[in-house]
Amino acid sequence: MAKKFVYKFAEGKADMRNLLGGKGANLAEMTNIGLPVPQGFTITTEACTKYYDDGAKIDSSIQKEIFKNLEDLEKVTGKGFGKKENPLLVSVRSGARASMPGMMDTILNLGLNSETVEGLATLTNNARFAYDSYRRFIQMFADVVMEVPKPLFEEILDEQKHKKGVSLDTELDENDMKEVVKKFKALYKKQKKSEFPEDVREQLILAVEAVFRSWENPRAIVYRRMNDIPSSWGTAVNVQTMVFGNMGNDCGTGVAFTRNPATGENKLYGEYLMNAQGEDVVAGIRTPSAIAELKKQNKAVYEQFEQISKTLENHYKDMQDMEFTIEHGKLFMLQTRNGKRTAKAALKIAVDMVKSGMWTEKDALLKIEPKQLDSLLHPQFEASALKKATPIAVGLPASPGAATGKIAFTSAEATERAAAGEKVVLVRLETSPEDIEGMVSSQGILTVRGGMTSHAAVVARGMGTCCVAGCSAVVVDENAKTLTINGKKYTANDYISIDGSTGNVYGTQIQTVPASLSGDFGKIMSWADKYRALSVRTNADNPRDAKQAYDFGAEGVGLCRTEHMFFEADRIMAVREMIVSKTVEEREKALAKILPMQRKDFEGIYKEMKGNPVTIRLLDPPLHEFLPHTDAEIKELAKEMGLTFKELKETVDNLHEFNPMLGHRGCRLCVTYPEIAAMQTRAIMEAAVKVNKEKGYKITPEIMVPLVGEKKELDYVKEYIVKTAEDVIKKAKSNMTYKVGTMIEIPRAALTADKIAETAEFFSFGTNDLTQMTYGFSRDDAGKFLKDYYAKKIFEQDPFARIDEDGVGKLVAMAAKLGRQTRKDLKLGICGEHGGDPATIEFCHNVGLTYVSCSPFRVPIARLAAAQANIKNPRN
Amino acid sequence: MAKKFVYKFAEGKADMRNLLGGKGANLAEMTNIGLPVPQGFTITTEACTKYYDDGAKIDSSIQKEIFKNLEDLEKVTGKGFGKKENPLLVSVRSGARASMPGMMDTILNLGLNSETVEGLATLTNNARFAYDSYRRFIQMFADVVMEVPKPLFEEILDEQKHKKGVSLDTELDENDMKEVVKKFKALYKKQKKSEFPEDVREQLILAVEAVFRSWENPRAIVYRRMNDIPSSWGTAVNVQTMVFGNMGNDCGTGVAFTRNPATGENKLYGEYLMNAQGEDVVAGIRTPSAIAELKKQNKAVYEQFEQISKTLENHYKDMQDMEFTIEHGKLFMLQTRNGKRTAKAALKIAVDMVKSGMWTEKDALLKIEPKQLDSLLHPQFEASALKKATPIAVGLPASPGAATGKIAFTSAEATERAAAGEKVVLVRLETSPEDIEGMVSSQGILTVRGGMTSHAAVVARGMGTCCVAGCSAVVVDENAKTLTINGKKYTANDYISIDGSTGNVYGTQIQTVPASLSGDFGKIMSWADKYRALSVRTNADNPRDAKQAYDFGAEGVGLCRTEHMFFEADRIMAVREMIVSKTVEEREKALAKILPMQRKDFEGIYKEMKGNPVTIRLLDPPLHEFLPHTDAEIKELAKEMGLTFKELKETVDNLHEFNPMLGHRGCRLCVTYPEIAAMQTRAIMEAAVKVNKEKGYKITPEIMVPLVGEKKELDYVKEYIVKTAEDVIKKAKSNMTYKVGTMIEIPRAALTADKIAETAEFFSFGTNDLTQMTYGFSRDDAGKFLKDYYAKKIFEQDPFARIDEDGVGKLVAMAAKLGRQTRKDLKLGICGEHGGDPATIEFCHNVGLTYVSCSPFRVPIARLAAAQANIKNPRN
């Protein structure tokens, strides 16, 4: 039997979503549960795929199938397609597997031509309505199918109103509409060099093709990339009998949710407009009424709708988003789907649904999109204050949240003014590691240059601080300490406000409200903890982040990057002394200066973590990152350090690398300078011993060696770690234990994980570097060409955001398996930025990892995602 | 039963080499086949390993075992260790599994002290001999065991001769020797703050320890690294009864080979010295006689030795290198081992051995070290001319062979003068890709900076041109066109000569002789071709290399790097125009200029390859490699190109990458600029069609896409290739076929090879990049820290020279398997520098590759290595 490409609504059902699209499946489902749905049929997503495979053509056999279904529809409705008597008019709408609201195209009133319009006029006894419908159809068809610019039609309509001396469309009469139709057709002919199609079958096929085409329009492509929807899915097309909400005052149209999508309140919520078509509701010319009003206007219809809405929520077991039309007092359901909701609503609905017994706790956990929680974890602008503000510029939404404060132009200034109690927003051309302190002190960060993966963006996201990056409309004059936006100058005494979720920049102070973890949130998190198998840790480099993460439920630190501590103003000089040292003795002397500072950092983190495990990574970046690079800076530093320019310049030159990413860093530094590992181990252990004695927390430090690619590398470094750690323990007369483990971030480490596990007591997958090396591109450089990869559909998602399961994931799975072959109880974690991505967390669960580690603000997201993973695929 | 750590010679045999070391196993074997061997015993290599495991101590149970064997030896010899009457003296020598000549230490005459020396004097009735032996022993023991500098002893001896007014040691009498002994002991005491040990058992244990220690001396470590000998093997120690060749004129000592080790001639070859100990032969004070002389001096001994030498060669079935001593007319064999031989001798011996029926062809192939053939493939200095020359400087032996010519200071000058018929040696501070033409035109290349993997070294090796790199003694004044070495100035009119096998630089013209593939070489190669399963191709970027490789037996081109062609002076401008293009049209215009030049390159290569397959790789390096980087150069080029400085500078800046290795290169360029792939495909196909029509060669071009990491990347590029290729074929009315394949050089490509093979028709493993990405270090940068890795024994071999089987090899094997799962007949090759390494070739054979591809000068080596691999592990 030939493949079936067209299904009547009565032939489908809800679980055929992949084939019929969301809308089609729901129309079928509603039809089958007996709800009043205008009849029609769905052309499948497979037909869309075939359309592209066939070189953007609808195969003749599919065309035949479409017309066969149309004939059946004529029979069911008793109307005739293209017939003057009782003409059948249809809507043609897209409907993909996943909801993509507004991304694709719709055509209404299809089936009208110069004959049927007359029939419609006669039938409805309303020529104005008939010609209004016709002109709407011409406009939509010309726009969607033929790409005639919409404004050209709007001009004609405006002209007509002007001529008539009226201001509303509704004030135009039958004759006006007839004239408009004539002008629209003339415009069409002028633009397309052909008559507007009279053949309604031709209209239909062209419209279906246009919907298929709209699957690949630019905004749909962008939406898909943002939502991880593969282009191979395609869209279905729904052809449905038109019903009209604009045939008189006993007609109307509306949208409603079974519960409040903003708050989650369990009460029908929505709005409607009498004598209107759907687009009028959206256009905002007339103000729609709240759905509750309908009860007064037409009690019977309201009650029927209320009943249907309950039926639908019970049937779909979720909050529904519905569209309806009332035609001459008769209610038609045009669409239902699970309703989008705010994070806050999602939590409340979930808790309510469990309370009412509709959902189990597991159902509730699976219903919440983990990423959505992010919006609840950062300060936001106070809603009424925001309404009054207008953005003066837009940058990239680099790190979510809202911030308001006076402008600080340098990191030092930000630190100083913040210490004096002022709230500041740091504005920089771009940030560098030396800005860390200023970034920590600021409410938010605004940069002129740099993208979503720039230093400012990455660090801000890590800290959970709001950041707008790459806002090129801002002109900064660092010397004059002013910034100019659109010609207006701002000084250090002026306020700005930034929204890291939208990228908006405001030139005024806007009140913010702190994140609040409401009761529903707490309940959901407690359920998540009950059902998850993965542990959730955090990446934290300082006590502030550690505390934040602990408050968000982190069960330990999975990655503490010690080098971030090296950049702070009070220690960078000691670090530089260490780098320019010519002998082990000189180097040890410089390291001795750093030791007490590092120890103090670790003490703070141990205290905040209250005895939970803390994994500390030894120094990772290449040493040249700590030195200046321009001659002027080198000259200045040389003077400060008591060196000649030539000496320091030589050190800088010697440290230069062609590919720093693949250079002298990570454990390679410890192989060359084992005294660095020894100093860091001493700081780690001494701090642990001290906090253990002071607070009684039972601490088992986990010392992590980065960038290992060969077991013997780890053996060599571990020897120094063990020697130092044992010395500290012995001197302190402590019985503290500790673990030595490694990052798995080099492909070779994954490939030889069985050997490495002989030495390593734990693995932590550094999937940032592992992704770079497995793909062979550096994150710093890939931005330039990856845009072509997205445009050309070679990549459909960002491998740095979501783990690449086919390549990088294969290495992770392999390493996990090999490692556990050697050491059955090997602790396995992930600490790349992927650790906070729900899809990656599911992967980590499935390959048997022990924990994920993510930035503090992603901890709640990770807890939920871990629970979902274990509910879907329970671990024994 | 406890492990046995000491074996009497009579207890061992030849196949116990791993346990007894080469020397010990051979002494045992000789003992057992009844040859006259001074008796003794061997302390095993396992004892050495245990010595290190125990923290550099000889376990007391092993000491006990040693002394038990010593007692047995006393019984067999009838002598007493430390006894005045008939004292037993022994030699203590190292003996590892693999021969490491001169790398470790030896002590003779052990067992002498102030009592036994008197006993020896009485016994031999030769007090001078006894005290001479004693002073030799003190000197050796002090040097080897106690690290007292040898020259201090030499001084005393010289003083004594001076005092006596004589010039030779032999002119010193009994009393002189006694005085020397006294002074030696005093020196020892002064240096070591203790008396020279009188206890002979103490002497023995200290000596054995010293030999164990010498396994880890710096020269042994270097030798092991160079010869791929793992440090875990350890050395055995042989304790053997001393026999003396210096007790009178009926005594003597010598070394001999069963065949001539330089030429392979089947005739006893060697030399001996009467009344001498082994070290006298080596010291070169007296001139030894040719072994044939012995026949006249002592016919019986000569004939016995000749008989023994035949016995040994027949027994070991290989040419033997033997040491013997004659003590009072009695012949003793001290050592035999397979003799080292020159490449030339190796070939002749192999052919002769097969002729005589001693070896099969397979035996012969396995007996030749493939790497050794290299010396036969390059021009050499004429031997007598070289003898007269003295080096004026030494650099790194970067690419083998010898060259002589007048000095050229720039690439352009070299090209011009070479075109005019002059022979030049190019001398540069360092070379860059723009020097290629000059390098091709020169006899040899000398650089002041850069190591074994510098541009000059890598390119020269690829071309088979002699190169000495990093010769810092050379001071170049490029402006004045002079160079100075040790204060002497040389101009463009002066000759220099360089030896790329030794690094020597000479200030004169030295005649060279071309490589000649003698008849034996040809025969061995024909056998190799008979037994190998792997195909051998070459990496060749130009017709010259292609011809060289074809002459050396290459069966195709495995890698033709098209970018090398881009650097040539006549086309670099067109390449730069392409890079600065702002539109596709501009870019296509510039590409059109390059097209005919590329086509011509390919024509030349196809012609030289005479219908053998040619794999051509599309453009690989990042575009910034084709542009200058300093402001001055940019300014100059901008002027030349009719651009403003700012415009060109902006292009250069935009192309800047943090990690070029991981940047916008390989197929990523083709994704952004598919027109480049199209142009190159056109050149490849048009050239093939033309050569096919002109010469009738049946050519199937293999178009190779570099740096693929994802199947869809290859899909995208392949589409352009196929479209272009089909167009060329159609226009030419040809029926030519072609293949599109990919490099596997990104870990992700190996991990997803099953998918990539759906599109790729062949794989070629680019193990240079694959090694860099799998290890996560760049070759350009790793030099700085890998020296620490060797010193600290984390790496024992260079992963860029020999494939890392555990990591990189695992990916290669995985990709080969996955690829063949998808496409059963997938052609698999390797084209990294590893392709010419014998150990890697064996690996490639074992994992089922179709061919290896290497630089032209390694083709014969690869043919032999491939044969050896298939003989060891035959493919079905």
Side-chain angles (χ1 to χ4, degrees), chain B residues 446-551:
Chain B
L446 171 63
T447 70
V448 179
R449 298 193 203 129
M452 296 294 286
T453 57
S454 64
H455 176 266
V458 171
V459 173
R461 280 199 296 276
M463 302 193 307
T465 300
C466 152
C467 174
V468 172
C471 185
S472 52
V474 177
V475 181
V476 174
D477 184 338
E478 286 191 2
N479 295 325
K481 302 229 170 202
T482 60
L483 61 83
T484 312
I485 303 176
N486 282 330
K488 191 173 170 203
K489 198 168 276 183
Y490 298 80
T491 71
N493 273 323
D494 291 317
Y495 275 99
I496 54 167
S497 299
I498 58 175
D499 187 335
S501 311
T502 61
N504 282 341
V505 178
Y506 303 87
T508 54
Q509 182 179 24
I510 308 173
Q511 178 99 43
T512 61
V513 288
S516 94
L517 306 194
S518 76
D520 293 331
F521 199 124
K523 176 134 273 176
I524 295 288
M525 284 294 112
S526 74
W527 292 342
D529 293 347
K530 190 161 141 192
Y531 291 106
R532 70 190 157 89
L534 274 173
S535 220
V536 176
R537 295 197 189 182
T538 190
N539 300 348
D541 308 340
N542 53 57
R544 188 188 91 134
D545 286 354
K547 180 181 184 330
Q548 180 64 271
Y550 186 84
D551 291 346

Side-chain angles (χ1 to χ4, degrees), chain B residues 442-716:
Chain B
S442 303
Q443 302 298 307
I445 299 136
L446 171 63
T447 70
V448 179
R449 298 193 203 129
M452 296 294 286
T453 57
S454 64
H455 176 266
V458 171
V459 173
R461 280 199 296 276
M463 302 193 307
T465 300
C466 152
C467 174
V468 172
C471 185
S472 52
V474 177
V475 181
V476 174
D477 184 338
E478 286 191 2
N479 295 325
K481 302 229 170 202
T482 60
L483 61 83
T484 312
I485 303 176
N486 282 330
K488 191 173 170 203
K489 198 168 276 183
Y490 298 80
T491 71
N493 273 323
D494 291 317
Y495 275 99
I496 54 167
S497 299
I498 58 175
D499 187 335
S501 311
T502 61
N504 282 341
V505 178
Y506 303 87
T508 54
Q509 182 179 24
I510 308 173
Q511 178 99 43
T512 61
V513 288
S516 94
L517 306 194
S518 76
D520 293 331
F521 199 124
K523 176 134 273 176
I524 295 288
M525 284 294 112
S526 74
W527 292 342
D529 293 347
K530 190 161 141 192
Y531 291 106
R532 70 190 157 89
L534 274 173
S535 220
V536 176
R537 295 197 189 182
T538 190
N539 300 348
D541 308 340
N542 53 57
R544 188 188 91 134
D545 286 354
K547 180 181 184 330
Q548 180 64 271
Y550 186 84
D551 291 346
F552 279 155
E555 298 160 300
V557 171
L559 173 64
C560 171
R561 282 162 295 209
T562 51
E563 58 270 16
H564 285 186
M565 306 167 176
F566 279 34
F567 284 109
E568 288 185 25
D570 56 340
R571 48 190 85 171
I572 183 87
M573 279 307 288
V575 174
R576 287 167 172 172
E577 279 170 32
M578 172 192 87
I579 294 171
V580 302
S581 298
K582 293 213 164 35
T583 63
V584 175
E585 292 68 33
E586 269 177 58
R587 202 171 307 112
E588 283 177 341
K589 219 172 112 190
L591 286 165
K593 291 190 199 169
I594 306 172
L595 174 66
M597 311 190 232
Q598 282 243 305
R599 190 169 49 214
K600 203 163 147 253
D601 295 325
F602 299 141
E603 282 170 23
I605 292 172
Y606 291 134
K607 280 180 193 160
E608 295 298 350
M609 272 296 143
K610 301 188 174 41
N612 281 296
V614 175
T615 307
I616 296 171
R617 181 177 76 181
L618 301 185
L619 188 67
D620 186 53
L623 297 182
H624 53 73
E625 283 200 9
F626 300 98
L627 291 179
H629 293 99
T630 68
D631 281 359
E633 291 168 312
I634 293 171
K635 205 167 278 175
E636 200 185 310
L637 180 62
K639 208 170 143 193
E640 218 173 319
M641 297 185 73
L643 298 168
T644 67
F645 169 75
K646 206 179 145 227
E647 275 175 312
L648 187 56
K649 172 78 174 163
E650 212 172 273
T651 302
V652 172
D653 286 350
N654 278 339
L655 290 174
H656 169 77
E657 295 185 309
F658 297 98
N659 296 288
M661 172 82 217
L662 303 175
H664 196 188
R665 50 178 284 246
C667 68
R668 297 164 193 168
L669 290 173
C670 294
V671 168
T672 312
Y673 310 117
E675 49 279 7
I676 298 180
M679 180 280 285
Q680 293 201 296
T681 301
R682 184 164 295 278
I684 291 165
M685 295 305 297
E686 287 180 352
V689 165
K690 184 154 176 246
V691 173
N692 167 260
K693 289 201 173 153
E694 279 176 24
K695 299 276 178 179
Y697 300 142
K698 192 177 169 320
I699 304 173
T700 302
E702 298 176 346
I703 301 174
M704 182 153 74
V705 181
L707 219 72
V708 165
E710 156 63 43
K711 171 189 181 283
K712 291 189 203 158
E713 261 177 330
L714 182 59
D715 288 341
Y716 182 83

Side-chain angles (χ1 to χ4, degrees), chain B residues 134-343:
Chain B
Y134 195 21
R135 71 94 193 159
R136 286 175 192 249
F137 168 56
I138 295 168
Q139 186 174 343
M140 259 190 265
F141 185 92
D143 167 31
V144 170
V145 181
M146 293 302 180
E147 290 165 6
V148 181
K150 234 192 278 194
L152 299 178
F153 293 100
E154 298 294 344
E155 262 172 38
I156 293 172
L157 204 63
D158 285 348
E159 225 167 71
Q160 193 69 20
K161 286 187 276 189
H162 186 74
K163 202 166 113 187
K164 196 81 190 273
V166 302
S167 66
L168 292 179
D169 294 3
T170 42
E171 292 169 301
L172 295 177
D173 65 15
E174 173 188 338
N175 290 326
D176 294 325
M177 285 301 175
K178 281 185 179 166
E179 205 176 320
V180 166
V181 163
K182 219 159 115 190
K183 286 184 179 160
F184 273 20
K185 284 186 174 176
L187 170 64
Y188 182 95
K189 189 176 173 188
K190 190 174 155 209
Q191 288 277 323
K192 303 307 304 176
K193 316 282 177 236
S194 68
E195 297 289 343
F196 187 82
E198 283 285 298
D199 178 351
V200 295
R201 291 163 67 103
E202 186 189 345
Q203 287 175 3
L204 179 62
I205 294 302
L206 287 171
V208 172
E209 280 181 353
V211 174
F212 283 159
R213 268 202 315 274
S214 71
W215 176 249
E216 290 293 351
N217 76 32
R219 64 182 193 279
I221 291 174
V222 169
Y223 186 89
R224 283 206 298 276
R225 187 176 316 138
M226 281 170 52
N227 292 276
D228 294 342
I229 301 173
S231 98
S232 61
W233 283 3
T235 183
V237 180
N238 298 294
V239 177
Q240 188 174 24
T241 311
M242 283 297 302
V243 289
F244 294 96
N246 57 344
M247 283 207 285
N249 289 331
D250 57 348
C251 302
T253 189
V255 294
F257 294 84
T258 56
R259 299 176 189 229
N260 187 315
T263 64
E265 192 192 4
N266 187 4
K267 197 175 148 194
L268 200 58
Y269 177 92
E271 46 192 27
Y272 74 102
L273 206 52
M274 295 311 281
N275 198 14
Q277 254 189 330
E279 52 172 350
D280 299 324
V281 180
V282 181
I285 296 164
R286 289 157 59 199
T287 306
S289 311
I291 192 79
E293 292 294 307
L294 184 60
K295 196 168 184 179
K296 297 175 202 156
Q297 208 153 12
N298 190 331
K299 191 157 181 263
V301 167
Y302 179 82
E303 280 172 355
Q304 186 192 1
F305 181 68
E306 201 180 21
Q307 189 52 49
I308 287 174
S309 110
K310 283 196 180 121
T311 303
L312 284 171
E313 192 175 277
N314 284 328
H315 183 75
Y316 286 105
K317 295 195 187 307
D318 202 350
M319 187 264 260
Q320 294 297 297
D321 169 0
M322 304 160 292
E323 289 178 20
F324 63 92
T325 283
I326 307 165
E327 190 181 73
H328 296 315
K330 182 168 162 31
L331 177 68
F332 286 99
M333 296 302 296
L334 296 185
Q335 162 144 296
T336 192
R337 58 183 172 202
N338 292 345
K340 300 240 171 211
R341 62 208 79 175
T342 63

Side-chain angles (χ1 to χ4, degrees), chain A residues 541-610:
Chain A
D541 307 341
N542 53 57
R544 189 187 91 133
D545 287 354
K547 181 179 183 330
Q548 179 65 272
Y550 185 85
D551 292 345
F552 280 155
E555 298 161 300
V557 171
L559 174 65
C560 170
R561 283 160 295 208
T562 52
E563 58 270 16
H564 286 186
M565 305 168 177
F566 279 34
F567 285 109
E568 290 187 23
D570 55 340
R571 47 192 85 172
I572 183 88
M573 280 306 287
V575 173
R576 287 167 172 172
E577 278 169 33
M578 172 193 88
I579 295 171
V580 303
S581 298
K582 293 213 165 37
T583 64
V584 175
E585 292 68 33
E586 271 177 57
R587 202 171 306 112
E588 283 177 341
K589 219 171 110 191
L591 287 165
K593 291 190 199 169
I594 306 172
L595 173 65
M597 311 190 233
Q598 282 243 304
R599 190 169 49 214
K600 205 164 145 253
D601 295 325
F602 298 141
E603 282 170 24
I605 292 173
Y606 290 135
K607 281 180 192 162
E608 295 298 350
M609 272 296 143
K610 302 188 172 42

Side-chain angles (χ1 to χ4, degrees), chain A residues 104-134:
Chain A
M104 289 178 299
D105 294 320
T106 289
I107 294 153
L108 302 177
N109 305 343
L110 190 140
L112 284 174
N113 58 20
S114 44
E115 284 208 3
T116 55
V117 69
E118 280 300 325
L120 186 64
T122 311
L123 186 76
T124 59
N125 198 18
N126 187 340
R128 188 201 171 280
F129 161 72
Y131 279 91
D132 184 30
S133 299
Y134 195 22

